[in-house]
Amino acid sequence: MNRRAQHTDWDHVWIGADLATMRAGAEPYGVMRDAALAVKGERIAWIGTAIEARGRVGQRSIPVHDATGLWITPGLIDCHTHLVYGGNRAAEFEQRLLGVSYEQIARAGGGIQSTVEATRTAGHDALLAAALLRARRLSAEGVTTLEIKSGYGLDLNTEARMLTVARELGTRLPITVRTSFLGLHAVPRELAADRQAFVDRVSGPWLEAIASARLADAVDAFCDSIAFKLQETEQYLRAAQALRLPIHLHAGQFSDIGAARLAAQFGALSADHLEYVDEAAIQALAQAGTVAVLLPGAYYTLRQTHPPPVSLLRQAGVPMAVSTDNNPGTSPCGSILLMLNMACTLFGLTAEEALAGVTSVAAQALGLASDRGTLEVGKRADLALWRIGQPAELSYSFGSNPCAGIVQAGTVHRWSELEPQGGREQVGPIGEEVP
Ligand code: NIG
Ligand code: FE
């Protein structure tokens, strides 16, 4: 007989876990020890003590998972990636090791342009296959929500193909995908002599086509000395605003040309990178409720030496998210957990801030805070289960993956099936159903 059909209150309950709920409050990490969490459908239905849960379950037939020795956090959210692309840039890595800078490579027509060539020639299936591998790695580290940008097409067809592939990932994996049309990433070679024509096209017919096909949940632009100017970016953001598309902005990665302030002016969901940003712009971000998305993988890859002003951001009350920035040029990074470690060691975040940066604050950066990012009754049942002794271990160790499994929209996925190669042996208990 189907045991699940007999009971209507809960579909699953995990009993005996320690929870890092990431709710703001008295306890660091919103910790609840020896706790229990129940889900019904796609939502968290109940949170309480293990003792109370055992009483409630009683004789009823609910799939009960013994979660003793496990920590449960909200499913992780990687809120800034360029995960769909063709080829890779290992050869440029070798050039940079010989002393050529990222900017020099970009100005010489390599960098983003070389990925544009590779992405234009890759078909839908090749793009999807490569992106699936990358996304599976993140999923195996507890990621249940993933933002993916376009920006390596620079023509309408390829931009649309990238976003279509990104959407498709969300149907193939236990991951919610949020897409951003990164219309202004670089000027394509064919319009190098007339950048205004490109900005006009992106801000006009292309944006309209992307929006009417519902391919993008938001927009993004690269506003920096080696990319797009303030006025060009403003034109694009105005068009996006008219279409009611939320805004992210690459701001202050290489220099401060006022991009962060522009993000605040437009009430952007997030301003990303922010290595170079002044105090007035930080105040403006705080006022606007814009999230600062910190990207230590790009900072590390480019061997930058000017970290984002974390103490000023903290003092001003700007929420800080952390993300992989997964991309072939500046952050060929398949590990969100490594980013937690780098956010602490390179940027000076606390371990708790780093975890908030990939849960509650990352949800805010995607405009999803009312739906996910913390463990609370009514929120989406996106969970990550960990074999750790305390939440700081997620930031403390690197190069290892203590994720035991995930629950996505109420469905249980074990670590072994999330592995890119299709599964290794599981070690130890991971909250197996008990009779
Ligand atoms: O976030 N800054 C712009 N975009 C990417 C890099 C893109 C690339 O080099 O391919 C970033 O770092
Ligand atoms: Fe980026």
Side-chain angles (χ1 to χ4, degrees), residues 71-418:
W71 277 82
I72 302 179
T73 67
L76 305 190
I77 299 172
D78 195 353
C79 68
H80 176 142
T81 84
H82 311 246
L83 186 119
V84 173
Y85 59 82
N88 72 52
R89 307 238 289 275
E92 286 181 11
F93 174 67
E94 292 188 297
Q95 272 183 283
R96 280 192 283 108
L97 291 175
L98 293 173
V100 190
S101 77
Y102 178 78
E103 291 194 39
Q104 285 168 328
I105 293 171
R107 290 189 192 280
I112 293 173
Q113 296 293 350
S114 70
T115 299
V116 169
E117 305 294 312
T119 304
R120 285 180 177 179
T121 47
H124 167 280
D125 293 355
L127 285 179
L128 180 64
L132 268 170
L133 267 176
R134 296 178 198 122
R136 275 208 189 94
R137 291 200 178 100
L138 293 170
S139 173
E141 285 193 347
V143 171
T144 51
T145 302
L146 177 61
E147 187 266 5
I148 303 178
K149 304 174 194 303
S150 66
Y152 290 124
L154 309 184
D155 62 42
L156 180 56
N157 275 343
T158 316
E159 290 290 312
R161 183 156 77 242
M162 289 181 74
L163 294 167
T164 304
V165 166
R167 287 251 192 264
E168 207 171 321
L169 283 179
T171 66
R172 301 287 195 97
L173 295 174
I175 286 191
T176 303
V177 171
R178 302 290 286 184
T179 54
S180 304
F181 175 44
L182 176 47
L184 299 185
H185 198 196
V187 181
R189 275 193 224 294
E190 60 275 14
L191 285 172
D194 192 359
R195 49 189 295 137
Q196 187 56 46
F198 177 68
V199 175
D200 290 346
R201 238 171 258 183
V202 170
S203 310
W206 293 12
L207 186 56
E208 272 159 37
I210 297 284
S212 71
R214 297 192 184 283
L215 282 172
D217 300 310
V219 299
D220 198 341
F222 185 14
C223 184
D224 213 313
S225 48
I226 59 165
F228 289 89
K229 299 183 179 65
L230 274 182
Q231 298 88 316
E232 294 166 335
T233 308
E234 199 175 335
Q235 181 185 339
Y236 176 62
L237 298 188
R238 274 197 202 296
Q241 207 170 44
L243 292 166
R244 297 184 188 283
L245 283 164
I247 291 166
H248 304 285
L249 195 63
H250 283 70
Q253 183 179 13
F254 296 100
S255 62
D256 184 3
I257 62 164
R261 197 187 304 247
L262 187 69
Q265 271 167 25
F266 275 88
L269 284 175
S270 71
D272 305 43
H273 287 286
L274 294 182
E275 275 80 1
Y276 297 89
V277 57
D278 66 21
E279 277 197 62
I282 290 175
Q283 291 303 333
L285 292 172
Q287 291 280 313
T290 299
V291 173
V293 177
L294 307 183
L295 303 165
Y299 174 87
Y300 164 82
T301 300
L302 298 175
R303 294 199 276 195
Q304 287 181 303
T305 52
H306 192 285
V310 161
S311 330
L312 292 178
L313 291 165
R314 191 186 281 132
Q315 271 164 31
V318 178
M320 294 178 284
V322 173
S323 171
T324 60
D325 195 12
N326 181 304
N327 77 72
T330 64
S331 194
C333 168
S335 171
I336 188 95
L337 293 176
L338 180 58
M339 295 304 100
L340 295 189
N341 178 267
M342 286 188 180
C344 297
T345 52
L346 300 177
F347 290 172
L349 265 65
T350 66
E352 186 183 0
E353 283 173 332
L355 188 56
V358 296
T359 52
S360 53
V361 183
Q364 203 179 329
L366 295 180
L368 296 173
S370 60
D371 184 65
R372 64 191 71 186
T374 58
L375 303 181
E376 285 179 76
V377 171
K379 285 212 172 167
R380 192 176 156 93
D382 283 359
L383 320 173
L385 284 66
W386 307 98
R387 260 188 230 101
I388 51 175
Q390 54 187 311
E393 285 176 38
L394 296 176
S395 299
Y396 154 75
S397 55
F398 57 93
S400 53
N401 180 11
C403 186
I406 59 169
V407 176
Q408 197 253 2
T411 302
V412 183
H413 301 270
R414 289 182 166 73
W415 192 82
S416 55
E417 79 191 55
L418 300 171

